[in-house]
Amino acid sequence: MSTAAATPAPAPRPAPPSIREATLTDVEGIVRVVNLAYRTQGGWTTEEHLVGGARTDAEDVRAAIADDTHLLLVAERDGAIVGCCYTDRQGDSAELGLFAVDPTLQAGGVGGALMEEQARRRADEGLASLHLRVLESRPELQAWYARHGFVETGEVVPFAGDAANLKVPGLDMAVMVRALA
């Protein structure tokens, strides 16, 4: 009889979230998860140390849902919104934005599932690429996007939000692109 302790089995990975298009009934949940992910401490994607103010509000989310160039997706688990992202169609490309996952669930596959569903849907529409802007001072985010097929273009643009909310003046954004073909 062996006295060695048995190695415990790894904890089961949670089931993948269900992903669907957002509706107006999702606005409150989307605003909550986006502002938690971007403007509070706790998740690895937070910008709280770089940017102040709310990342989004109900008016902006309702406008995104109503705009037919946008595809706003939500990820749900147990009936709660745990992530979201939109793409804004611009010609044969779409800009990815409002990409957020509840900080308590980050690094658990929710963001990757949302990204791949956006890419699949936009590719099915015939779009050639997705592009995004990411804060230059966030190399860990740039690396995450690179693992998901995005490459840096070398283009740098000014911060996309209200510059008055910047805690680091002059913060720019790097542009990245992912081919869908």
Side-chain angles (χ1 to χ4, degrees), residues 67-163:
D67 186 335
D68 64 357
T69 66
H70 285 75
L71 174 60
L72 177 55
L73 299 179
V74 293
E76 285 184 311
R77 277 210 182 120
D78 301 320
I81 293 174
V82 297
C84 65
C85 68
Y86 80 81
T87 49
D88 178 14
R89 189 177 59 248
Q90 301 168 351
D92 69 346
S93 184
E95 182 173 26
L96 180 78
L98 208 63
F99 189 25
V101 174
D102 182 310
T104 65
L105 299 174
Q106 289 177 1
V110 175
L114 277 164
M115 174 74 66
E116 294 312 312
E117 185 63 11
Q118 278 285 359
R120 184 192 67 76
R121 289 183 186 215
R122 289 308 198 174
D124 287 352
E125 294 175 7
L127 272 61
S129 63
L130 295 178
H131 61 276
L132 58 83
R133 296 172 283 178
V134 62
L135 291 172
E136 280 191 301
S137 63
R138 300 300 308 275
E140 71 283 6
L141 285 178
Q142 291 169 334
W144 188 90
Y145 287 119
R147 289 191 301 273
H148 288 272
F150 285 83
V151 295
E152 294 184 45
T153 65
E155 182 181 1
V156 176
V157 296
F159 176 69
D162 183 353

Side-chain angles (χ1 to χ4, degrees), residues 6-103:
T7 303
R13 188 173 183 129
S18 62
I19 298 176
R20 62 175 174 76
E21 285 191 49
T23 67
L24 290 175
T25 61
D26 299 321
V27 170
E28 183 179 312
I30 293 168
V31 171
R32 181 190 64 78
V33 79
V34 168
N35 287 322
L36 278 173
Y38 282 89
R39 298 297 191 259
T40 63
Q41 295 179 356
W44 72 274
T45 61
T46 186
E47 298 172 348
E48 186 270 337
H49 60 295
L50 300 170
V51 184
R55 170 61 177 82
T56 196
D57 59 33
E59 181 179 335
D60 286 343
V61 173
R62 281 193 290 277
I65 292 170
D67 186 335
D68 64 357
T69 66
H70 285 75
L71 174 60
L72 177 55
L73 299 179
V74 293
E76 285 184 311
R77 277 210 182 120
D78 301 320
I81 293 174
V82 297
C84 65
C85 68
Y86 80 81
T87 49
D88 178 14
R89 189 177 59 248
Q90 301 168 351
D92 69 346
S93 184
E95 182 173 26
L96 180 78
L98 208 63
F99 189 25
V101 174
D102 182 310

